[in-house]
Amino acid sequence: MNIACDILVIGAGVSGISAALASARSGIRTVVVEKEGFIGGAGYSGLLQQICGLYLNGRAVPEETLNDGIVREVVSGLHRLSPRNKVKKIGQVYVLPYLREDLSSVFNSMCRAENRLSVMLNTSLVSVKKKKGKVVEVALSDMNAKSPRPHFTKGGIRGTTFNITPKVLIDCSGDGAAAVMAGADYKLSPLSKRQLAGFIIHLKGLNTGDETLPVKVPYYLSEAAEVKRFPSYARYTTFSYGDVPDEGYLKINPGHEYSRRGPVVLNRAAKILGYLAEKLPSFRHAHIAGTSLKVMDREGRRICGEYTLTEDDILNAGKFDDGVVKNSWPIELWDRNKGTVYKYLRDGEYYEIPFRCLKVKGLSNLLCAGRCISVTREALGSTRVMGTCMSLGEQAGLAAAYYVKNGRYPYSYT
Ligand SMILES: Cc1cc2nc3c(=O)[nH]c(=O)nc-3n(C[C@H](O)[C@H](O)[C@H](O)COP(=O)(O)OP(=O)(O)OC[C@H]3O[C@@H](n4cnc5c(N)ncnc54)[C@H](O)[C@@H]3O)c2cc1C
């Protein structure tokens, strides 16, 4: 198989789709590959309920998103499909409730409208070759292909392999998979410091008449963790009501070491539900209607770029000459000893993320966007939310397209 493209995007999560749309709309042949059979990444498979990082936090209800461009189109597409879902204030922040089917449908129709864009599902990254500080070739495995000679790798990837030689590679894999294969430096917190992962359970059959469940659930689970009926992470479980009266969501937040142990967490989730049914009549007839696809990492590899955004940059509302994305979302750390810790910007303020956080150090035609950009552990607590990831993806796509046309990025010092 020989696929020609100028820009290759790895991962079709919210950042990857936004990157691919932006570069295709700039007139550049773009391919986005995704190892799963759907687009949207954690925004689709995670059973999340709201998009964070879209709005300026402050007293006034925001009328528009903080960043313009693709996020604004996505928000108006979501409004068209579910007009009931309006901007909502939770504590000190504004979020947009959404349905994952709507997000998928909006992204799908935006992608279908671009004839320079190919979306390849069930296609996984195998390796990246570099030469003299440049990515020169990317090997991919098409798991749809019925090959007489399937390809196996240590990671269990199966399918036929083929190569692409992009002019720019954009890593939107969430974990910097492509950048690491290209030899980029990265930071990864030790397990003891890494943010808790998350697993979401969709419940039906609840009696949601009791409005205090979001307080009672962590209270009872803290008691149970105290007497060692459940591991200590159970005390950080949160509950939120669903869109429909008898529905709700439990967010269980185990340590990162459970990332590859979905069945263990699912088993424990069933026990947690049984315990809640003992304590709270609202849960007596509740059952598990669905779960997130896997235990999801909040924190993974952070690829070293030409600048590393810090907590100080965020809390002091830092601005940069190459600031490409605005964000007002607080630093939200899911700490294994303290639970959720929030650090807010001042009301009505935002910071900027410089383009240099997207530009991978030492590799001229490799960009990162989404969860794996160049930030400190603390800064990641703010930059990783979906609204911000979409804008990061869009900016990576625009800069990559500029590079293809002009042989350099649109910022003189990069
Ligand atoms: C428990 C939890 C709750 C959260 N809640 C919220 C929330 O309520 N609101 C919010 O806005 N954000 C929330 N987030 C954060 C947010 O969901 C993610 O950080 C964001 O979706 C990241 O987007 P992304 O595009 O960078 O990565 P992802 O969504 O992870 O997408 C990366 C994509 O790349 C693909 N991929 C990876 N490796 C390869 C490969 N080798 N080959 C091909 N494809 C590959 C993956 O399959 C995936 O589809 C939450 C995160 C967690 C963990």
Side-chain angles (χ1 to χ4, degrees), residues 10-16 33-36 40-43 48-52 123-125 172-174 177 197-200 251 253 296-298 369-372 384-387 389:
I10 305 295
V14 294
S15 61
V33 297
E34 167 55 54
K35 66 179 178 181
E36 303 290 351
L48 308 179
Q49 291 171 276
Q50 51 239 352
I51 302 182
C52 309
T123 303
S124 197
L125 173 69
C172 294
S173 64
F199 188 67
I200 295 176
K251 195 192 285 176
N253 302 286
M296 300 180 288
D297 296 337
R298 285 195 173 85
R371 198 160 56 85
C372 53
R384 67 185 173 81
V385 286
M386 282 190 280
C389 285

